Amino acid sequence: MQTKNSYILAIESSCDDTACAILKNDHVLSNIVAGQEIHLQYGGVVPELASRAHQSHIVPVVDQALKKAGITKEDLSAIAFTRGPGLMGSLLVGTSFAKSLAMALEIPLIDVHHMQGHILAHFIDNGQEKPIFPFLAVTISGGHTQIVKVTDYHKMEVIGTTQDDAIGEAFDKSGKMLGLGYPAGPQIDQLAKEGDPKKFPFPIPKAPDLNYSFSGFKTAVLYFIQREENNNPDFIKENLLDICASIQYTLIKILFQKVEKAVQQTGIKTVAIGGGVSANSGIRAKLRSYEKKGWNTFIPPFEYTTDNAAMIGISGYYKFLDGYTAGMETTASPRIQL
Ligand code: KG4
Ligand code: ZN
C-alpha cells in the first residue's frame, strides 16, 4: 500500500539559534541554523538581543529551508515548533510565526518539547541503526542534565535531573574562569585532547538517587584557580591544557556515575545521548566504551547534537502520525516539563 508522504516544516527558536528544517516523513530535506554572534561580546546569551535577532532571522531562515528542500509552502502537511523550555522572548518569535503560518496554510500546528526533540533526533533517517524502546536517554545541554526513560515516541519519564546547574553550564562557566569565550564547551573539548586528565583532581559532588549537582564543581574550580593564581599569576596560561583535560575528565565521571546507576536500577542497557554537550568527544568515547559491558549505545550525528530544527521536525512527524496536534490558543512555555 502506498501511504501519503508527510512534509513537516519545523521551527526552533528556544535560545540563541534561529532554525528551520523541512522533513519528508523521517528524512531531512533541509536543516538551516542561523547563530547569533552578537552574544559573544557579552560572554553569554542576552535574552533581549536574542529575541530581536530571531525576529530578523526567522523569515530568511524559513525561506532558505523551503528553497533548499525544493518544495513550496503549499506542499506542507503540518507546522511543528518548539513550545519550550527556553527563553520567553525567543520562544514567542517561533511560536507566533508557526501559528501564523499554520493558520494561513490551513494545516495542523504541532507543539514540541525541546528536550523531546533532542531525544528523538536519534530517529532521523540517516541510514543508521535506531534505538529500540524502552531506552535511557541522557540529555545534556546548556539548560539540562537529565536521565529519561523513553517508552515510546511520546512517553518519556525523567528519572534523574540536575538540582542546580546543567552540565553545559559547568563547561561554560569553568571555561569563562579560564578566560575562554562563550560557549566554552567546544573549546574545552579541543584543549582537553592535549592535556593530562588526571593532573588536577576535582571533587565529585554528591546528589541523591539518579540526580546531579554541578554548582559545587563550579565553586571548586573557582577556588582552585584563585589559589593557584595567588602562587603563580601565569598558572592558567602555563597549565591550560591540563586544566581543561582535568575539568572534562571530572565532568564525564560525574555524568556516567549516575548513568551506570540508572542502567543497573532499570535493567535497560540501551543508552542514547542527546543535547549540545553530546558533541563532546570525551563523552562520546566514554559512552562507546560501555559497549564492552553489553550496552547498546547511540550517539546522534554531529549536526543534530546542538540546537537545530530537524529534531523538532522528527518529533513533529511522529506526533502528526499519531494525531497529536495543538490548538491555536497554545502559548510559548519557557519552563514546561518533559
Ligand atoms: O543543546 P544546546 O545547543 O543548547 C541548549 O539547549 O542549551 O547546548 C549548548 C551547550 C553549551 O553549554 C555548549 O558549551 C555545549 O552545549 N557544547 C559542548 C560541546 N559542544 C557544545 N560542551 C562540551 N563539549 C562540546 N564539544
Ligand atoms: Zn538544546
Side-chain angles (χ1 to χ4, degrees):
M1 187 184 76
Q2 178 76 39
T3 49
K4 198 167 163 277
N5 286 320
S6 308
Y7 290 90
I8 311 284
L9 182 145
I11 289 169
E12 153 62 37
S13 72
S14 62
C15 190
D16 60 338
D17 291 307
T18 317
C20 179
I22 314 271
L23 274 74
K24 178 183 178 184
N25 306 323
D26 59 355
H27 189 76
V28 177
L29 298 180
S30 63
N31 184 35
I32 309 293
V33 183
Q36 302 180 355
E37 292 195 346
I38 180 108
H39 307 288
L40 287 175
Q41 58 190 292
Y42 300 98
V45 177
V46 183
E48 172 75 20
L49 296 179
S51 39
R52 285 175 193 226
H54 283 306
Q55 283 277 12
S56 54
H57 289 165
I58 194 146
V59 171
V61 164
V62 169
D63 209 37
Q64 209 184 329
L66 280 164
K67 284 205 179 90
K68 177 120 192 272
I71 64 163
T72 65
K73 301 191 288 300
E74 288 67 31
D75 297 317
L76 294 171
S77 320
I79 308 293
F81 71 100
T82 304
R83 182 174 175 207
L87 301 169
M88 185 52 150
S90 293
L91 290 166
L92 276 174
V93 178
T95 305
S96 307
F97 190 92
K99 285 166 86 165
S100 314
L101 192 56
M103 198 169 173
L105 296 171
E106 296 182 34
I107 55 176
L109 176 72
I110 301 168
D111 60 317
V112 174
H113 190 290
H114 181 83
M115 298 315 289
Q116 178 177 22
H118 276 303
I119 294 171
L120 295 185
H122 288 279
F123 294 90
I124 291 171
D125 178 31
N126 247 348
Q128 87 291 21
E129 203 195 327
K130 295 173 187 174
I132 293 178
F133 300 114
F135 66 91
L136 296 178
V138 182
T139 53
I140 41 181
S141 73
H144 285 82
T145 309
Q146 293 189 323
I147 304 178
V148 183
K149 186 173 157 188
V150 186
T151 318
D152 72 24
Y153 297 113
H154 317 293
K155 238 190 184 160
M156 305 185 177
E157 183 196 351
V158 178
I159 57 173
T161 189
T162 181
Q163 299 173 319
D164 39 59
D165 290 352
I167 187 168
E169 279 178 278
F171 269 105
D172 295 339
K173 288 179 179 166
S174 307
K176 197 171 177 183
M177 293 176 214
L178 298 172
L180 303 176
Y182 177 84
Q187 297 169 70
I188 293 184
D189 189 0
Q190 280 309 314
L191 296 165
K193 287 188 176 131
E194 316 217 3
D196 174 0
K198 299 203 176 149
K199 179 81 178 279
F200 303 112
F202 292 110
I204 306 282
K206 288 203 172 21
D209 309 317
L210 298 175
N211 298 313
Y212 290 102
S213 165
F214 289 99
S215 69
F217 172 81
K218 187 180 63 188
T219 316
V221 173
L222 177 68
Y223 288 162
F224 164 77
I225 293 171
Q226 283 176 345
R227 198 173 57 237
E228 296 293 342
E229 279 193 322
N230 272 342
N231 298 332
N232 172 12
D234 290 331
F235 176 76
I236 292 180
K237 212 167 78 200
E238 289 169 11
N239 295 278
L240 187 60
L241 302 178
D242 292 338
I243 304 172
C244 287
S246 302
I247 286 174
Q248 182 166 306
Y249 174 80
T250 312
L251 290 175
I252 292 175
K253 208 162 162 183
I254 298 169
L255 183 70
F256 280 97
Q257 233 179 27
K258 294 299 173 87
V259 178
E260 276 188 29
K261 196 168 172 183
V263 168
Q264 263 167 19
Q265 276 185 14
T266 60
I268 298 171
K269 285 187 162 185
T270 302
V271 181
I273 53 171
V277 183
S278 66
N280 184 272
S281 57
I283 290 176
R284 290 175 163 235
K286 179 75 180 170
L287 181 67
R288 284 290 189 233
S289 74
Y290 287 99
E291 291 268 343
K292 292 197 296 283
K293 290 192 173 176
W295 294 18
N296 213 356
T297 65
F298 292 87
I299 296 174
F302 201 75
E303 64 199 299
Y304 305 132
T305 51
T306 44
D307 288 350
N308 65 86
M311 68 184 200
I312 304 305
I314 191 75
S315 309
Y317 170 64
Y318 285 110
K319 281 190 140 183
F320 182 66
L321 286 187
D322 293 331
Y324 291 104
T325 56
M328 276 297 157
E329 72 291 349
T330 305
T331 53
S333 192
R335 306 185 75 81
I336 193 171
Q337 300 294 318
L338 191 64

